[in-house]
Amino acid sequence: MAASSLLKSSPVLNKSEWVKGQTLRQSSIVFVRFNRIAKSALTIKAGSYADELVKTAKTVASPGHGIMAMDESNATCGKRLASIGLENTEANRQAYRTLLVSAPGLGNYVSGAILFEETLYQSTVDGKKIVDILVEQKIVPGIKVDKGLVPLAGSNDESWCQGLDGLASRCAAYYQQGARFAKWRTVVSIPNGPSALAVKEAAWGLARYASIAQDNGLVPIVEPEILLDGEHGIDRTFEVAQNVWAEVFFYLAQNNVMFEGILLKPSMVTPGAECKERATPEQVADYTLNLLRRRIPPAVPGIMFLSGGQSELEATLNLNAMNQSPNPWHVSFSYARALQNTCLKTWGGLPENVKAAQDVLLTRAKANSLAQIGKYTGEGESAEAKEGMFVKGYTY
Ligand code: 13P
């Protein structure tokens, strides 16, 4: 039977049925339903990439490992390079990315690297394919497939994420090039609402993308980033996050996405960046784990948090606090800024600093690897690691 007719004949929950489950707050019922969908989706995908997707997701979500996000678009990469006085040329981007991927032993802590399209096709300064270096390091190459954020007409100054047009053929080409997982980042702003429209659009876009990525052999990272911007307290973030993840899983199920073959990239539940009341790592862990328990089915293998403008130290301490007791998922990191910030500054664009910068990267990667297994102590951290990196309305 053709894949399309199989998809049509699959059981899909209607929204009122699902919302009833939510209202009853009987997470077991919700999970049974999720699992029913996940099981049927597995059958649908069987014979295509199902087994491989599950294997890839498990490999990325392996103990003591997380993701290095190095998928800054050329525009964002330009801002990072400008911060150390470098021009945004392909040669400078190549030099920086070579430094990152060739840090010796990085694969002891990092199981996946998210690349920007340019990097997937790029070679190192010595002419070796970046993808090959990653594979040698036992790091799975991934690819950012969204096309960025644009204003969402009819909303309260909110955004939506583009990139569905031509996505299937791009995913197929990325697979050929060696990518095995994908990332799509959309954002939700608390000070601007979030409006029901923006949340629905974010969730629907993520679900369509996830389904297309799986069809083409790529494990989708599902990333509805709840921006840190705002003066709101942690309870408000929690409320919004519950709403966002409920919508996301509803539409993932409707689109027959196989939950065993996805990875999530959530924001941790924290107070807004401009909120006067700060939260301890234990509070962040409590709220965030509560969110996961209420909204994320245990079939999902890996929860790979973004850092979102937290300092390097904060991001590691919060992750460590979440891993103090067992939970059903692999709770880990997929940091860009919280892995790279001090590394970039240490490099400063000078060849003689490459080794020192790689050492800094390895220190951060190791710290987060320890945090993934709940064994990070926080000793001996530099002053730089404590600096926050929040930027209002950060794009990627
Ligand atoms: P950070 O918030 O950790 O900088 O990265 C966000 C992201 O989506 C990178 O892939």
Side-chain angles (χ1 to χ4, degrees), residues 76-138:
T76 306
C77 198
K79 288 183 205 154
R80 313 292 318 271
L81 293 175
S83 75
I84 54 163
L86 283 193
E87 248 185 89
N88 190 11
T89 59
E90 200 202 329
N92 285 338
R93 293 193 295 271
Q94 180 193 38
Y96 181 53
R97 288 162 176 163
T98 299
L99 177 162
L100 294 177
V101 298
S102 51
L106 187 65
N108 294 330
Y109 319 114
V110 166
S111 49
I114 318 176
L115 310 178
F116 187 57
E117 191 182 54
E118 177 180 79
T119 320
L120 186 68
Y121 294 90
Q122 206 165 32
S123 296
T124 62
V125 285
D126 310 318
K128 267 188 118 172
K129 279 186 172 174
I130 287 195
V131 170
D132 292 345
I133 305 261
L134 289 173
V135 173
E136 275 168 27
Q137 294 250 47
K138 298 200 169 30

Short mmCIF file of all heavy atoms in Angstrom, two decimals, residues 76-138:
data_model
loop_
_atom_site.label_atom_id
_atom_site.label_comp_id
_atom_site.label_asym_id
_atom_site.label_seq_id
_atom_site.Cartn_x
_atom_site.Cartn_y
_atom_site.Cartn_z
N THR A 76 23.82 35.24 11.86
CA THR A 76 24.12 35.14 13.30
C THR A 76 25.59 34.86 13.54
O THR A 76 26.21 35.42 14.45
CB THR A 76 23.25 34.03 13.94
OG1 THR A 76 21.89 34.30 13.63
CG2 THR A 76 23.42 33.98 15.44
N CYS A 77 26.17 34.02 12.69
CA CYS A 77 27.59 33.72 12.83
C CYS A 77 28.40 35.02 12.68
O CYS A 77 29.39 35.25 13.39
CB CYS A 77 28.01 32.70 11.77
SG CYS A 77 29.55 31.89 12.17
N GLY A 78 27.92 35.89 11.77
CA GLY A 78 28.58 37.18 11.55
C GLY A 78 28.60 38.00 12.84
O GLY A 78 29.62 38.62 13.18
N LYS A 79 27.50 37.96 13.58
CA LYS A 79 27.45 38.72 14.85
C LYS A 79 28.45 38.14 15.85
O LYS A 79 29.11 38.86 16.58
CB LYS A 79 26.05 38.65 15.46
CG LYS A 79 25.02 39.48 14.68
CD LYS A 79 23.67 39.44 15.38
CE LYS A 79 22.56 39.70 14.37
NZ LYS A 79 21.27 39.15 14.73
N ARG A 80 28.52 36.82 15.88
CA ARG A 80 29.47 36.18 16.83
C ARG A 80 30.90 36.54 16.45
O ARG A 80 31.72 36.86 17.31
CB ARG A 80 29.32 34.65 16.84
CG ARG A 80 27.91 34.10 16.93
CD ARG A 80 27.21 34.34 18.25
NE ARG A 80 28.03 34.16 19.42
CZ ARG A 80 28.20 33.01 20.08
NH1 ARG A 80 27.56 31.96 19.67
NH2 ARG A 80 28.96 32.94 21.14
N LEU A 81 31.19 36.50 15.15
CA LEU A 81 32.55 36.83 14.71
C LEU A 81 32.87 38.31 14.96
O LEU A 81 33.98 38.66 15.37
CB LEU A 81 32.74 36.48 13.22
CG LEU A 81 32.69 34.98 12.87
CD1 LEU A 81 32.76 34.78 11.36
CD2 LEU A 81 33.84 34.21 13.55
N ALA A 82 31.87 39.16 14.74
CA ALA A 82 32.08 40.60 14.97
C ALA A 82 32.44 40.85 16.44
O ALA A 82 33.24 41.74 16.74
CB ALA A 82 30.82 41.37 14.60
N SER A 83 31.90 40.02 17.34
CA SER A 83 32.18 40.23 18.77
C SER A 83 33.65 39.99 19.10
O SER A 83 34.14 40.41 20.15
CB SER A 83 31.28 39.32 19.63
OG SER A 83 31.76 37.98 19.58
N ILE A 84 34.37 39.31 18.21
CA ILE A 84 35.83 39.15 18.44
C ILE A 84 36.62 39.88 17.34
O ILE A 84 37.78 39.57 17.08
CB ILE A 84 36.24 37.65 18.53
CG1 ILE A 84 35.78 36.86 17.29
CG2 ILE A 84 35.73 37.02 19.80
CD1 ILE A 84 36.48 35.53 17.12
N GLY A 85 35.94 40.82 16.69
CA GLY A 85 36.63 41.68 15.72
C GLY A 85 36.96 41.03 14.39
O GLY A 85 37.86 41.47 13.68
N LEU A 86 36.22 39.96 14.03
CA LEU A 86 36.48 39.30 12.74
C LEU A 86 35.39 39.62 11.73
O LEU A 86 34.22 39.77 12.08
CB LEU A 86 36.55 37.78 12.91
CG LEU A 86 37.79 37.16 13.52
CD1 LEU A 86 37.74 35.65 13.30
CD2 LEU A 86 39.07 37.71 12.95
N GLU A 87 35.80 39.64 10.48
CA GLU A 87 34.83 39.85 9.40
C GLU A 87 34.04 38.57 9.15
O GLU A 87 34.57 37.47 9.35
CB GLU A 87 35.61 40.14 8.12
CG GLU A 87 35.47 41.56 7.61
CD GLU A 87 36.18 41.67 6.28
OE1 GLU A 87 35.52 41.42 5.25
OE2 GLU A 87 37.40 41.95 6.31
N ASN A 88 32.83 38.74 8.66
CA ASN A 88 31.98 37.57 8.39
C ASN A 88 32.27 37.00 7.00
O ASN A 88 31.43 37.07 6.11
CB ASN A 88 30.51 37.98 8.53
CG ASN A 88 29.58 36.79 8.51
OD1 ASN A 88 30.01 35.64 8.60
ND2 ASN A 88 28.29 37.06 8.35
N THR A 89 33.45 36.39 6.84
CA THR A 89 33.79 35.79 5.55
C THR A 89 33.67 34.27 5.66
O THR A 89 33.71 33.72 6.77
CB THR A 89 35.25 36.10 5.17
OG1 THR A 89 36.09 35.57 6.21
CG2 THR A 89 35.49 37.60 5.03
N GLU A 90 33.57 33.60 4.51
CA GLU A 90 33.46 32.14 4.56
C GLU A 90 34.72 31.56 5.21
O GLU A 90 34.65 30.60 5.99
CB GLU A 90 33.23 31.53 3.18
CG GLU A 90 32.65 30.13 3.36
CD GLU A 90 32.82 29.17 2.20
OE1 GLU A 90 32.83 29.64 1.05
OE2 GLU A 90 32.93 27.96 2.46
N ALA A 91 35.87 32.15 4.93
CA ALA A 91 37.13 31.63 5.48
C ALA A 91 37.13 31.72 7.01
O ALA A 91 37.58 30.78 7.69
CB ALA A 91 38.31 32.42 4.90
N ASN A 92 36.62 32.81 7.55
CA ASN A 92 36.59 32.93 9.03
C ASN A 92 35.59 31.95 9.64
O ASN A 92 35.85 31.35 10.68
CB ASN A 92 36.27 34.37 9.45
CG ASN A 92 37.46 35.28 9.25
OD1 ASN A 92 38.62 34.83 9.19
ND2 ASN A 92 37.20 36.58 9.11
N ARG A 93 34.45 31.79 8.97
CA ARG A 93 33.46 30.82 9.50
C ARG A 93 34.06 29.42 9.44
O ARG A 93 33.91 28.62 10.37
CB ARG A 93 32.15 30.88 8.68
CG ARG A 93 31.40 32.20 8.83
CD ARG A 93 29.98 32.10 8.29
NE ARG A 93 29.91 31.87 6.86
CZ ARG A 93 29.90 32.82 5.92
NH1 ARG A 93 29.96 34.09 6.28
NH2 ARG A 93 29.82 32.53 4.64
N GLN A 94 34.76 29.14 8.35
CA GLN A 94 35.38 27.81 8.20
C GLN A 94 36.44 27.58 9.29
O GLN A 94 36.51 26.49 9.88
CB GLN A 94 36.03 27.74 6.81
CG GLN A 94 36.70 26.44 6.51
CD GLN A 94 37.59 26.55 5.27
OE1 GLN A 94 38.25 27.57 5.05
NE2 GLN A 94 37.60 25.51 4.47
N ALA A 95 37.25 28.60 9.55
CA ALA A 95 38.30 28.45 10.57
C ALA A 95 37.68 28.16 11.93
O ALA A 95 38.13 27.28 12.67
CB ALA A 95 39.15 29.72 10.62
N TYR A 96 36.62 28.89 12.25
CA TYR A 96 35.98 28.69 13.56
C TYR A 96 35.34 27.31 13.66
O TYR A 96 35.49 26.59 14.65
CB TYR A 96 34.95 29.80 13.80
CG TYR A 96 34.29 29.67 15.15
CD1 TYR A 96 35.05 29.57 16.31
CD2 TYR A 96 32.90 29.62 15.26
CE1 TYR A 96 34.45 29.42 17.55
CE2 TYR A 96 32.29 29.47 16.50
CZ TYR A 96 33.06 29.37 17.65
OH TYR A 96 32.47 29.22 18.87
N ARG A 97 34.66 26.92 12.59
CA ARG A 97 33.98 25.62 12.64
C ARG A 97 34.99 24.47 12.63
O ARG A 97 34.75 23.42 13.24
CB ARG A 97 32.99 25.52 11.48
CG ARG A 97 31.79 26.45 11.72
CD ARG A 97 31.02 26.74 10.49
NE ARG A 97 29.82 27.55 10.75
CZ ARG A 97 29.15 28.21 9.83
NH1 ARG A 97 29.52 28.16 8.56
NH2 ARG A 97 28.09 28.91 10.14
N THR A 98 36.11 24.68 11.97
CA THR A 98 37.17 23.65 12.01
C THR A 98 37.65 23.46 13.44
O THR A 98 37.81 22.33 13.92
CB THR A 98 38.36 24.08 11.11
OG1 THR A 98 37.89 24.21 9.77
CG2 THR A 98 39.49 23.06 11.14
N LEU A 99 37.86 24.59 14.11
CA LEU A 99 38.30 24.54 15.52
C LEU A 99 37.32 23.71 16.36
O LEU A 99 37.72 22.83 17.12
CB LEU A 99 38.39 25.97 16.02
CG LEU A 99 38.76 26.31 17.47
CD1 LEU A 99 39.20 27.78 17.53
CD2 LEU A 99 37.69 26.05 18.49
N LEU A 100 36.04 23.98 16.17
CA LEU A 100 35.03 23.30 16.99
C LEU A 100 35.02 21.79 16.74
O LEU A 100 35.14 20.99 17.68
CB LEU A 100 33.62 23.85 16.70
CG LEU A 100 33.32 25.30 17.09
CD1 LEU A 100 31.91 25.68 16.64
CD2 LEU A 100 33.45 25.51 18.59
N VAL A 101 34.90 21.40 15.49
CA VAL A 101 34.69 19.97 15.22
C VAL A 101 35.94 19.13 15.44
O VAL A 101 35.85 17.93 15.66
CB VAL A 101 34.14 19.69 13.79
CG1 VAL A 101 32.79 20.35 13.60
CG2 VAL A 101 35.10 20.12 12.70
N SER A 102 37.12 19.79 15.37
CA SER A 102 38.33 18.97 15.51
C SER A 102 38.93 19.02 16.91
O SER A 102 40.06 18.56 17.11
CB SER A 102 39.35 19.35 14.43
OG SER A 102 39.55 20.73 14.43
N ALA A 103 38.17 19.50 17.89
CA ALA A 103 38.68 19.46 19.27
C ALA A 103 38.90 17.99 19.66
O ALA A 103 37.95 17.20 19.61
CB ALA A 103 37.68 20.12 20.21
N PRO A 104 40.13 17.61 20.03
CA PRO A 104 40.40 16.19 20.25
C PRO A 104 39.56 15.58 21.38
O PRO A 104 39.47 16.14 22.45
CB PRO A 104 41.90 16.17 20.65
CG PRO A 104 42.43 17.53 20.34
CD PRO A 104 41.29 18.48 20.27
N GLY A 105 38.92 14.48 21.08
CA GLY A 105 38.13 13.77 22.10
C GLY A 105 36.75 14.37 22.36
O GLY A 105 36.06 13.97 23.30
N LEU A 106 36.33 15.30 21.52
CA LEU A 106 35.01 15.92 21.72
C LEU A 106 33.89 14.88 21.78
O LEU A 106 32.91 15.03 22.51
CB LEU A 106 34.75 16.94 20.59
CG LEU A 106 33.49 17.80 20.72
CD1 LEU A 106 33.59 18.73 21.94
CD2 LEU A 106 33.26 18.63 19.46
N GLY A 107 34.07 13.82 21.01
CA GLY A 107 33.05 12.76 20.95
C GLY A 107 32.86 12.02 22.27
O GLY A 107 31.91 11.26 22.42
N ASN A 108 33.77 12.24 23.24
CA ASN A 108 33.55 11.62 24.55
C ASN A 108 32.36 12.25 25.27
O ASN A 108 31.81 11.67 26.20
CB ASN A 108 34.79 11.76 25.44
CG ASN A 108 35.96 10.98 24.88
OD1 ASN A 108 35.76 9.96 24.24
ND2 ASN A 108 37.17 11.47 25.10
N TYR A 109 32.02 13.46 24.88
CA TYR A 109 30.95 14.21 25.57
C TYR A 109 29.80 14.61 24.66
O TYR A 109 28.71 14.90 25.12
CB TYR A 109 31.53 15.49 26.19
CG TYR A 109 32.88 15.29 26.83
CD1 TYR A 109 34.03 15.91 26.32
CD2 TYR A 109 33.02 14.45 27.94
CE1 TYR A 109 35.27 15.71 26.90
CE2 TYR A 109 34.26 14.24 28.52
CZ TYR A 109 35.39 14.88 27.99
OH TYR A 109 36.61 14.66 28.56
N VAL A 110 30.10 14.69 23.37
CA VAL A 110 29.13 15.20 22.41
C VAL A 110 28.78 14.08 21.43
O VAL A 110 29.66 13.46 20.84
CB VAL A 110 29.72 16.43 21.66
CG1 VAL A 110 28.91 16.78 20.44
CG2 VAL A 110 29.80 17.63 22.60
N SER A 111 27.47 13.81 21.27
CA SER A 111 27.04 12.72 20.39
C SER A 111 26.46 13.22 19.08
O SER A 111 26.28 12.47 18.14
CB SER A 111 25.99 11.87 21.11
OG SER A 111 25.01 12.72 21.66
N GLY A 112 26.13 14.53 19.03
CA GLY A 112 25.55 15.09 17.80
C GLY A 112 26.00 16.53 17.63
O GLY A 112 26.27 17.22 18.62
N ALA A 113 26.10 16.97 16.38
CA ALA A 113 26.43 18.38 16.12
C ALA A 113 25.43 18.91 15.10
O ALA A 113 25.23 18.29 14.05
CB ALA A 113 27.85 18.52 15.58
N ILE A 114 24.79 20.03 15.44
CA ILE A 114 23.84 20.63 14.47
C ILE A 114 24.61 21.63 13.61
O ILE A 114 25.28 22.52 14.14
CB ILE A 114 22.68 21.38 15.16
CG1 ILE A 114 22.14 20.59 16.36
CG2 ILE A 114 21.57 21.65 14.14
CD1 ILE A 114 21.06 21.33 17.13
N LEU A 115 24.52 21.43 12.31
CA LEU A 115 25.27 22.27 11.36
C LEU A 115 24.32 23.20 10.60
O LEU A 115 23.15 22.87 10.38
CB LEU A 115 26.01 21.39 10.35
CG LEU A 115 26.85 20.25 10.92
CD1 LEU A 115 27.46 19.43 9.77
CD2 LEU A 115 27.96 20.78 11.83
N PHE A 116 24.87 24.31 10.15
CA PHE A 116 24.17 25.15 9.18
C PHE A 116 24.47 24.54 7.81
O PHE A 116 25.48 23.86 7.63
CB PHE A 116 24.68 26.59 9.28
CG PHE A 116 23.90 27.56 8.44
CD1 PHE A 116 22.53 27.71 8.62
CD2 PHE A 116 24.52 28.33 7.47
CE1 PHE A 116 21.80 28.61 7.85
CE2 PHE A 116 23.80 29.23 6.70
CZ PHE A 116 22.44 29.36 6.89
N GLU A 117 23.58 24.78 6.83
CA GLU A 117 23.75 24.14 5.51
C GLU A 117 25.16 24.33 4.95
O GLU A 117 25.77 23.40 4.42
CB GLU A 117 22.70 24.68 4.55
CG GLU A 117 22.62 23.90 3.25
CD GLU A 117 21.61 24.50 2.29
OE1 GLU A 117 21.72 25.71 1.99
OE2 GLU A 117 20.71 23.77 1.84
N GLU A 118 25.69 25.53 5.09
CA GLU A 118 27.03 25.79 4.56
C GLU A 118 28.05 24.78 5.12
O GLU A 118 28.90 24.27 4.40
CB GLU A 118 27.46 27.22 4.94
CG GLU A 118 28.88 27.58 4.52
CD GLU A 118 29.26 29.00 4.93
OE1 GLU A 118 29.61 29.23 6.11
OE2 GLU A 118 29.22 29.89 4.06
N THR A 119 27.93 24.49 6.42
CA THR A 119 28.91 23.61 7.08
C THR A 119 28.75 22.16 6.65
O THR A 119 29.73 21.41 6.61
CB THR A 119 28.78 23.72 8.61
OG1 THR A 119 28.55 25.09 8.93
CG2 THR A 119 30.03 23.24 9.31
N LEU A 120 27.51 21.76 6.35
CA LEU A 120 27.30 20.37 5.92
C LEU A 120 28.08 20.08 4.63
O LEU A 120 28.50 18.95 4.40
CB LEU A 120 25.80 20.12 5.70
CG LEU A 120 25.38 18.69 5.39
CD1 LEU A 120 25.59 17.78 6.61
CD2 LEU A 120 23.92 18.62 4.96
N TYR A 121 28.26 21.10 3.83
CA TYR A 121 28.97 20.92 2.55
C TYR A 121 30.40 21.48 2.62
O TYR A 121 31.09 21.55 1.61
CB TYR A 121 28.19 21.63 1.42
CG TYR A 121 26.85 20.99 1.15
CD1 TYR A 121 25.70 21.41 1.83
CD2 TYR A 121 26.71 19.93 0.25
CE1 TYR A 121 24.46 20.82 1.61
CE2 TYR A 121 25.47 19.34 0.01
CZ TYR A 121 24.36 19.78 0.68
OH TYR A 121 23.14 19.19 0.46
N GLN A 122 30.82 21.88 3.81
CA GLN A 122 32.10 22.59 3.94
C GLN A 122 33.23 21.63 4.33
O GLN A 122 33.01 20.58 4.91
CB GLN A 122 31.95 23.62 5.08
CG GLN A 122 32.85 24.83 5.01
CD GLN A 122 32.34 25.93 5.97
OE1 GLN A 122 31.76 25.64 7.02
NE2 GLN A 122 32.56 27.17 5.60
N SER A 123 34.46 22.04 3.96
CA SER A 123 35.64 21.29 4.40
C SER A 123 36.36 22.10 5.48
O SER A 123 36.13 23.29 5.63
CB SER A 123 36.59 21.07 3.23
OG SER A 123 35.96 20.26 2.27
N THR A 124 37.24 21.41 6.20
CA THR A 124 38.04 22.11 7.21
C THR A 124 39.12 22.92 6.48
O THR A 124 39.29 22.79 5.25
CB THR A 124 38.75 21.11 8.14
OG1 THR A 124 39.64 20.32 7.32
CG2 THR A 124 37.77 20.21 8.85
N VAL A 125 39.88 23.68 7.23
CA VAL A 125 40.96 24.45 6.60
C VAL A 125 42.00 23.52 5.97
O VAL A 125 42.71 23.91 5.04
CB VAL A 125 41.64 25.43 7.60
CG1 VAL A 125 40.75 26.62 7.88
CG2 VAL A 125 41.97 24.74 8.92
N ASP A 126 42.08 22.26 6.43
CA ASP A 126 43.03 21.30 5.82
C ASP A 126 42.38 20.48 4.70
O ASP A 126 42.96 19.49 4.25
CB ASP A 126 43.54 20.31 6.87
CG ASP A 126 44.04 21.01 8.10
OD1 ASP A 126 44.71 22.05 7.95
OD2 ASP A 126 43.74 20.53 9.22
N GLY A 127 41.18 20.84 4.32
CA GLY A 127 40.55 20.19 3.17
C GLY A 127 39.83 18.89 3.46
O GLY A 127 39.47 18.16 2.54
N LYS A 128 39.61 18.58 4.75
CA LYS A 128 38.83 17.37 5.07
C LYS A 128 37.36 17.76 5.24
O LYS A 128 37.08 18.84 5.77
CB LYS A 128 39.31 16.77 6.40
CG LYS A 128 40.37 15.71 6.24
CD LYS A 128 40.64 15.06 7.57
CE LYS A 128 40.30 13.58 7.54
NZ LYS A 128 40.71 12.85 8.73
N LYS A 129 36.47 16.88 4.80
CA LYS A 129 35.05 17.23 4.94
C LYS A 129 34.69 17.31 6.43
O LYS A 129 35.02 16.38 7.20
CB LYS A 129 34.19 16.14 4.30
CG LYS A 129 34.08 16.27 2.81
CD LYS A 129 33.08 15.24 2.37
CE LYS A 129 32.74 15.39 0.91
NZ LYS A 129 31.88 14.32 0.46
N ILE A 130 33.98 18.35 6.79
CA ILE A 130 33.59 18.51 8.20
C ILE A 130 32.74 17.32 8.66
O ILE A 130 32.91 16.81 9.77
CB ILE A 130 32.87 19.87 8.40
CG1 ILE A 130 33.95 20.96 8.31
CG2 ILE A 130 32.08 19.90 9.71
CD1 ILE A 130 33.61 22.32 8.80
N VAL A 131 31.88 16.85 7.78
CA VAL A 131 31.04 15.69 8.11
C VAL A 131 31.92 14.47 8.45
O VAL A 131 31.64 13.73 9.40
CB VAL A 131 30.09 15.37 6.94
CG1 VAL A 131 29.40 14.05 7.13
CG2 VAL A 131 29.06 16.47 6.77
N ASP A 132 32.99 14.29 7.68
CA ASP A 132 33.86 13.13 7.94
C ASP A 132 34.57 13.25 9.29
O ASP A 132 34.74 12.27 10.01
CB ASP A 132 34.90 12.98 6.82
CG ASP A 132 34.25 12.59 5.50
OD1 ASP A 132 33.07 12.16 5.53
OD2 ASP A 132 34.90 12.71 4.44
N ILE A 133 34.98 14.46 9.61
CA ILE A 133 35.64 14.66 10.92
C ILE A 133 34.66 14.30 12.04
O ILE A 133 35.03 13.64 13.01
CB ILE A 133 36.04 16.15 11.13
CG1 ILE A 133 36.89 16.64 9.98
CG2 ILE A 133 36.67 16.37 12.50
CD1 ILE A 133 38.35 16.64 10.24
N LEU A 134 33.42 14.74 11.89
CA LEU A 134 32.43 14.44 12.93
C LEU A 134 32.25 12.93 13.08
O LEU A 134 32.24 12.40 14.18
CB LEU A 134 31.09 15.11 12.60
CG LEU A 134 31.06 16.64 12.75
CD1 LEU A 134 29.74 17.21 12.22
CD2 LEU A 134 31.25 17.05 14.21
N VAL A 135 32.12 12.25 11.94
CA VAL A 135 31.91 10.80 12.00
C VAL A 135 33.12 10.12 12.66
O VAL A 135 32.96 9.23 13.51
CB VAL A 135 31.60 10.23 10.59
CG1 VAL A 135 31.56 8.71 10.60
CG2 VAL A 135 30.27 10.79 10.08
N GLU A 136 34.31 10.58 12.32
CA GLU A 136 35.52 10.03 12.98
C GLU A 136 35.47 10.24 14.49
O GLU A 136 35.96 9.42 15.26
CB GLU A 136 36.78 10.74 12.46
CG GLU A 136 37.33 10.15 11.18
CD GLU A 136 38.39 11.05 10.55
OE1 GLU A 136 39.06 11.83 11.27
OE2 GLU A 136 38.52 10.98 9.30
N GLN A 137 34.87 11.37 14.90
CA GLN A 137 34.77 11.66 16.35
C GLN A 137 33.58 10.94 16.99
O GLN A 137 33.28 11.17 18.15
CB GLN A 137 34.57 13.17 16.56
CG GLN A 137 35.75 14.05 16.16
CD GLN A 137 36.43 14.64 17.40
OE1 GLN A 137 36.70 13.92 18.36
NE2 GLN A 137 36.74 15.92 17.36
N LYS A 138 32.88 10.13 16.18
CA LYS A 138 31.64 9.44 16.64
C LYS A 138 30.55 10.45 17.03
O LYS A 138 29.82 10.29 18.01
CB LYS A 138 31.93 8.48 17.79
CG LYS A 138 32.88 7.36 17.41
CD LYS A 138 32.75 6.22 18.37
CE LYS A 138 33.45 4.97 17.95
NZ LYS A 138 34.66 5.08 17.13
#
